[in-house]
Amino acid sequence: LQDAGSIDLGRVSAGSGLAIAMAQFGLGFRVMKHPRGGYLLEIDVGDESSNLWPIGWKNKRPLTEVLPRFYQFVEVDLEDDKVEDVINTIADRIELPWFCSQQRLAANGIDFSQIVYSTPPDRISPSGLLRSIGKKHRIKMELRTDEDGLLFLWCTTVVDQAAWKKRFASVI
């Protein structure tokens, strides 16, 4: 297994936090009723297409209302800036925790800690900037909601994000 490093899960709910932590190793969990009462967690190998506890949920309200700063234009000028640093800056400014699926990215040949991004001076929203970075590097960075209704940013592969969206397509 790879070294997942340290993850500060203090700003997300227990269920999403556990799913985020386990995803670092290609694992997930299911909550199941125990035959003698109570519940147990079944741990399994899987990704976002698997029937595991999801890494966040769709938000029930429009994201432009819940987090308007994510869609407001800001000045940017990046020259070979590390994507991790760019995301840290965005997350700090809009007070949003963010997490990355290191295992899934690595399995797809993406060394997240090494990718950089450049863009000439421009005005763009944090949302638009993350979409542009994602398109260039074959990653997706999307807002998700934990069980307590708090938003966080999740970075994963394009395929996994598509699987998550398909899984929750019926949720409006």
Side-chain angles (χ1 to χ4, degrees), residues 3-74:
D3 177 15
S6 173
I7 304 171
D8 179 7
L9 298 169
R11 292 173 56 192
V12 294
S13 65
S16 288
L18 182 57
I20 290 166
M22 294 185 82
Q24 303 310 308
F25 302 100
L27 302 171
F29 71 95
R30 292 178 194 86
V31 178
M32 303 175 69
K33 284 195 174 210
H34 192 280
R36 294 185 300 254
Y39 297 92
L40 61 91
L41 298 182
E42 178 183 72
I43 297 172
D44 202 352
V45 174
D47 57 26
E48 300 224 48
S49 66
S50 306
N51 183 22
L52 299 170
W53 192 270
I55 300 164
W57 311 82
K58 279 179 131 179
N59 198 292
K60 294 178 182 172
R61 293 180 35 217
L63 292 171
T64 53
E65 290 177 15
V66 178
L67 193 63
R69 291 177 290 176
F70 194 59
Y71 300 97
Q72 294 171 347
F73 285 84
V74 295

Side-chain angles (χ1 to χ4, degrees), residues 78-142:
L78 305 172
E79 186 171 328
D80 292 330
D81 287 34
K82 284 195 164 199
V83 168
E84 276 185 308
D85 294 340
V86 174
I87 297 172
N88 277 326
T89 300
I90 290 170
D92 286 346
R93 289 191 181 165
I94 60 176
E95 300 174 11
L96 184 74
W98 74 277
F99 307 97
C100 189
S101 180
Q102 299 287 356
Q103 188 273 342
R104 295 297 297 159
L105 293 171
N108 283 272
I110 301 168
D111 184 351
F112 190 75
S113 66
Q114 297 303 311
I115 58 177
V116 295
Y117 186 77
S118 298
T119 186
D122 197 3
R123 288 184 50 79
I124 190 169
S125 70
S127 171
L129 179 59
L130 293 178
R131 272 193 317 275
S132 181
I133 292 169
K135 186 175 182 179
K136 179 178 181 185
H137 293 288
R138 304 178 343 263
I139 57 178
K140 280 292 209 174
M141 293 171 276
E142 299 281 338

